[in-house]
Amino acid sequence: MKTSPKKKESASSKPAAQKTAPDFIERVFSIAREIPRGRVTSYGAIAERAGIRLTARMVGWAMHQAGKAHPPVPAHRVVNSKGLLTGAVHFATPTLMQELLEQEGVEVRNNQVVGFTDKFWNPPLTKKNTALPKKKK
């Protein structure tokens, strides 16, 4: 009887994201919790302000988990860079994200925030993320 060789797993076989995921997610959630009622921000703005130098997609991945977070995270206030409600598909109903925004006075038309630039909240830099590494020349 032939047995197949066992796959050797090393400690480094796990992606680095798994080791830092809780810290990353908490940083994203912390910024999202600061979004004022009636305002919105973008995935990219959160990524930039968190100083994580990761893509907006990673922030979207974290926001997908916001429904389980305590204290709650206002994930409905995070939209894409054009004000589109791209995360709406991850809410309990297809219209819930829009409904929550409208309850806060944010007008949404055709799945997009009306007056996005006026409603946009740019997360302020904190002392923790102002000391980003300088670019090498």
Side-chain angles (χ1 to χ4, degrees):
M1 177 162 84
K2 234 180 185 179
T3 59
S4 59
K6 288 187 177 181
K7 225 179 188 182
K8 197 174 187 180
E9 288 190 41
S10 68
S12 64
S13 66
K14 292 185 179 181
Q18 286 183 348
K19 295 176 185 174
T20 60
D23 290 340
F24 163 71
I25 291 170
E26 277 310 309
R27 288 174 81 180
V28 169
F29 287 176
S30 176
I31 294 167
R33 287 182 182 113
E34 294 176 21
I35 304 168
R37 190 173 170 78
R39 304 288 296 277
V40 295
T41 196
S42 67
Y43 301 101
I46 291 175
E48 182 180 331
R49 293 305 185 245
I52 50 181
R53 301 209 187 258
L54 294 174
T55 67
R57 288 180 189 254
M58 291 299 293
V59 174
W61 171 79
M63 295 308 294
H64 179 63
Q65 300 177 44
K68 304 172 200 153
H70 294 287
V73 175
H76 63 284
R77 297 179 188 155
V78 183
V79 298
N80 83 356
S81 62
K82 296 178 182 169
L84 291 168
L85 279 56
T86 53
V89 297
H90 299 290
F91 283 76
T93 66
T95 60
L96 181 58
M97 185 176 186
Q98 178 174 339
E99 292 167 12
L100 292 170
L101 285 169
E102 288 174 341
Q103 287 173 9
E104 296 182 1
V106 176
E107 185 182 349
V108 177
R109 195 177 314 134
N110 296 323
N111 214 31
Q112 186 170 17
V113 173
V114 175
F116 175 64
T117 54
D118 293 331
K119 293 289 184 180
F120 182 77
W121 176 76
N122 198 11
L125 286 172
T126 62
K127 288 182 181 181
K128 185 175 182 179
N129 61 16
T130 54
L132 297 176
K134 293 182 180 179
K135 291 182 182 177
K136 293 181 181 178
K137 292 183 181 181

